[in-house]
C-alpha cells in the first residue's frame, strides 16, 4: 500500500467512525476537519458508498441503510439548544388547536413548553412524548398506536397509518432529519418518511423546528416541499443567506432567541370566518 493509499484509508476510517457516532456527515465539515477539498471528501464518500459503508445524499452521507441515531440517544443531545427551539415553537401554537406531535427529540422539548390552559388536543405516535404529556389535565391527549420502531422511537407502521388517516389536525409539528432550500424537508428512514408525509397531508399547516446542523443537509427520503403553509423555527445562529433564501419562498420563519419581530400564530380553523 502506498503512502497516499494509507492516508486515504485512515481518513475513511475516521469518517466511518463519525458516521457511526452521528448517523450522518457533511462534506463541507469533513473537508475542513481534514484540511482537504470537498472534491476529495466526495471521492471518499463515493468509495465508501460503493463498499456499502454509507449512503450518499446531497451535501454528505448517511450511515448505510438509512439508519438514524435512536431517539433514546438523541433526547440527551444538545438539550439546552433544543429547549430554546422548543419554547419558540410552542409560542406558535394558538388557543384551541388540535396538533399532531411527531417523533423527535426537539419535539419532546416542544411538548414540555406547550402553553397551559390553551384547550389543546395533542395527538402523538411517540411514547416518550405521550409520557411527558400524560399528567396534563389541561389538554386532551390521543396516542396513535402500533409497533414502536426502535430507531424512530414511535409507531409508524400500517396500524399507526390507518389511525392517522381518520384525523385532521390543525397543525402537524414534524420531526425531520434534514432540510435544503430546493429539496425541502427529509428523513433518514423510508417508512418514517412515508408516515410523516401522511401527517403533513392530513394537517392544515405544518411546523418544523430544526437545529442548525440540519440546514442544507438533505436526508435520504423526501417528506415535504417548502410551501407557504409551512412554519420553520430555526436557531438564532442560522446562516443569514440561507434564511433570506427561505424567506423568498414566503415561508413563516422564526429565529429562536433572535427573532424580535411579532410572531403571527398559525390559525386554527376554529378562528377563521366561515
Amino acid at each position: 500500500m502506498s503512502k497516499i493509499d494509507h492516508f486515504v484509508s485512515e481518513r475513511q476510517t475516521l469518517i466511518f467512525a463519525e458516521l457511526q457516532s452521528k448517523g450522518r456527515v457533511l462534506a463541507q465539515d469533513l473537508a475542513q476537519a481534514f484540511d482537504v477539498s470537498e472534491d476529495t471528501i466526495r471521492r471518499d464518500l463515493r468509495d465508501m458508498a460503493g463498499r456499502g459503508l454509507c449512503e450518499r445524499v446531497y451535501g454528505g452521507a448517511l450511515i448505510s441503510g438509512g439508519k438514524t441515531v435512536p431517539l433514546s440517544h438523541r433526547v440527551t443531545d444538545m438539550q439546552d439548544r433544543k429547549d430554546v427551539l422548543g419554547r419558540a415553537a410552542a409560542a406558535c401554537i394558538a388557543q384551541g388547536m388540535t396538533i399532531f406531535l411527531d417523533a423527535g427529540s426537539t419535539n419532546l422539548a416542544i411538548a414540555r413548553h406547550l402553553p397551559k390552559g390553551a384547550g389543546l388536543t395533542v395527538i402523538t405516535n411517540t411514547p416518550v412524548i405521550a409520557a411527558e404529556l400524560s399528567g396534563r389535565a389541561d389538554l386532551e391527549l390521543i396516542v396513535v398506536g402500533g409497533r414502536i420502531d426502535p430507531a424512530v422511537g414511535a409507531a409508524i407502521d400500517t396500524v399507526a397509518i390507518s389511525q392517522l388517516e381518520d384525523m385532521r389536525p390543525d397543525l402537524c409539528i414534524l420531526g425531520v432529519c434534514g432540510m435544503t432550500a430546493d429539496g425541502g424537508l427529509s428523513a433518514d428512514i423510508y417508512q418514517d418518511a412515508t408516515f410523516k408525509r401522511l401527517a403533513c397531508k392530513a394537517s392544515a399547516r405544518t411546523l418544523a423546528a430544526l437545529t442548525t446542523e440540519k440546514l442544507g443537509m438533505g436526508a435520504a427520503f423526501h417528506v415535504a416541499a417548502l410551501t407557504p403553509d409551512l412554519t420553520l423555527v430555526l436557531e438564532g445562529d442560522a446562516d443569514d443567506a440561507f434564511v433570506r433564501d427561505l424567506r423568498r419562498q414566503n415561508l413563516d420563519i422564526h429565529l429562536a432567541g433572535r427573532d424580535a419581530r411579532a410572531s403571527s400564530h398559525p390559525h386554527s380553523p376554529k378562528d377563521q370566518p366561515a
Side-chain angles (χ1 to χ4, degrees), residues 171-194:
L171 181 67
C172 171
I173 301 180
L174 197 63
V176 295
C177 302
M179 182 185 74
T180 62
D182 54 351
L185 306 173
S186 52
D188 289 339
I189 296 175
Y190 176 78
Q191 190 172 10
D192 187 32
T194 300

Side-chain angles (χ1 to χ4, degrees), residues 19-163:
L19 275 165
Q20 289 182 307
S21 171
K22 297 183 177 179
R24 59 175 56 214
V25 292
L26 289 171
Q28 182 179 17
D29 291 347
L30 292 174
Q32 292 176 355
F34 291 109
D35 194 23
V36 296
S37 70
E38 287 190 44
D39 284 341
T40 296
I41 294 299
R42 282 191 283 268
R43 284 194 295 271
D44 284 338
L45 296 179
R46 280 196 298 270
D47 181 53
M48 292 170 66
R51 290 184 283 132
L53 298 177
C54 68
E55 293 182 12
R56 294 288 314 283
V57 294
Y58 180 80
L62 305 173
I63 194 166
S64 185
K67 298 177 184 177
T68 190
V69 178
L71 180 60
S72 58
H73 289 64
R74 285 182 278 128
V75 294
T76 60
D77 190 29
M78 301 184 291
Q79 287 180 305
D80 291 346
R81 292 168 57 191
K82 291 175 182 177
D83 187 69
V84 173
L85 276 174
R87 190 182 300 274
C92 296
I93 296 171
Q95 184 91 13
M97 270 190 165
T98 296
I99 64 173
F100 174 75
L101 202 45
D102 185 32
S105 54
T106 301
N107 284 0
L108 176 60
I110 295 172
R112 290 170 175 157
H113 289 290
L114 288 178
K116 300 197 185 308
L120 302 177
T121 298
V122 182
I123 306 164
T124 187
N125 61 333
T126 310
V128 67
I129 291 176
E132 179 68 30
L133 297 175
S134 61
R136 294 269 304 261
D138 62 323
L139 55 77
E140 182 176 1
L141 177 63
I142 299 172
V143 179
V144 171
R147 174 186 173 273
I148 304 301
D149 184 282
V152 178
I156 55 174
D157 63 4
T158 55
V159 174
I161 287 174
S162 66
Q163 293 176 40

